[in-house]
Amino acid sequence: VGAFHPPRVVVADPETIATLPELQRAQGLAEALKHGAILDAAYFDELQDRGGELLAADGDTLEWAVTRSVEIKAGVVTEDEREGGLRQILNFGHTLGHALEAASDFALPHGSAVSLGMVLEARLGEALGVTEPGTATRIRHAVEAFGLPGTVGREGDVERVRAFTRSDKKGRKGKARYVLIERLGVAAHAEGGWTREVPSAALEGVLKPLS
């Protein structure tokens, strides 16, 4: 228990995905979009372009997407098996995503929560001058193309969401830390790693729709 050990083999059967309802396929595609957002802008764009095929569970398109996402994630995990550095970038969209998910008492599905988290954290990065302007809008259009939410509703009040961010696994000393991106396909390195604290005023700015 608690030991790190790479898998001997990974089996992914894209045909199984076709047995899921379209809504559930879309939830998984949120993570694929995240892979593109942090490391491969061309993949992000192609996912959006081929969204109809993916939602329709086209076999060849699913195999392409599963293969590329596995390549991206496996590359990161192989380089940083114990999540002490680069692997942190896989949490883009998850600090606010997990908080929104919990604040909704888990009525908000995980993929939907991550979709909102990516949009909001891109908006946060833009407000801080870290993320290229317009990135949040591009992410919003992409997630909405899959039927996922790109604008936040009343998933929870601001203080409730903020409280959940402080319990995020990336936090330090009770303070939330965020993975930001410079632009699509490029994660933003921060001093001492890949996560950073953000000013309260900036966070409140992106959470205003909740109030």
Side-chain angles (χ1 to χ4, degrees), residues 2-75:
F4 284 86
H5 191 288
R8 296 179 186 274
V9 64
V10 175
V11 177
D13 181 3
E15 291 184 8
T16 305
I17 300 172
T19 69
L20 295 171
E22 183 176 302
L23 174 63
Q24 294 306 317
R25 287 199 293 274
Q27 296 301 311
L29 287 166
E31 295 286 349
L33 286 168
K34 179 201 71 179
H35 292 149
I38 59 174
L39 282 173
D40 190 341
Y43 178 51
F44 182 95
D45 289 339
E46 192 164 0
L47 283 167
Q48 188 173 1
D49 291 342
R50 301 174 73 175
E53 299 167 32
L54 289 163
L55 290 174
D58 175 77
D60 290 341
T61 310
L62 285 175
E63 184 172 349
W64 160 77
V66 169
T67 299
R68 184 60 189 133
S69 275
V70 168
E71 287 172 347
I72 291 171
K73 186 167 184 178

Side-chain angles (χ1 to χ4, degrees), residues 46-189:
E46 192 164 0
L47 283 167
Q48 188 173 1
D49 291 342
R50 301 174 73 175
E53 299 167 32
L54 289 163
L55 290 174
D58 175 77
D60 290 341
T61 310
L62 285 175
E63 184 172 349
W64 160 77
V66 169
T67 299
R68 184 60 189 133
S69 275
V70 168
E71 287 172 347
I72 291 171
K73 186 167 184 178
V76 172
V77 172
T78 298
E79 185 169 334
D80 179 21
E81 187 177 5
R82 302 192 179 201
E83 203 168 350
L86 182 66
R87 189 169 175 174
Q88 294 170 345
I89 69 173
L90 294 172
N91 290 304
F92 172 60
H94 282 62
T95 299
L96 285 176
H98 283 156
L100 288 164
E101 188 178 19
S104 75
D105 293 322
F106 300 96
L108 188 67
H110 181 69
S112 295
V114 170
S115 295
L116 284 171
M118 288 192 293
V119 174
L120 292 175
E121 290 178 21
R123 194 175 297 160
L124 185 59
E126 290 179 18
L128 296 173
V130 174
T131 304
E132 182 178 85
T135 301
T137 297
R138 289 185 65 187
I139 294 174
R140 177 171 62 83
H141 289 162
V143 300
E144 288 178 344
F146 288 112
L148 296 164
T151 54
V152 69
R154 298 188 64 82
E155 277 74 20
D157 64 73
V158 173
E159 277 311 308
R160 183 168 162 79
V161 172
R162 285 168 63 96
F164 279 115
T165 65
R166 289 190 285 270
S167 62
D168 185 78
K169 68 178 181 178
K170 297 179 298 301
R172 296 179 190 169
K173 298 180 180 178
K175 295 184 178 180
R177 297 181 68 86
Y178 295 81
V179 175
L180 302 179
I181 59 176
E182 291 183 17
R183 57 187 181 278
L184 283 176
V186 181
H189 194 268

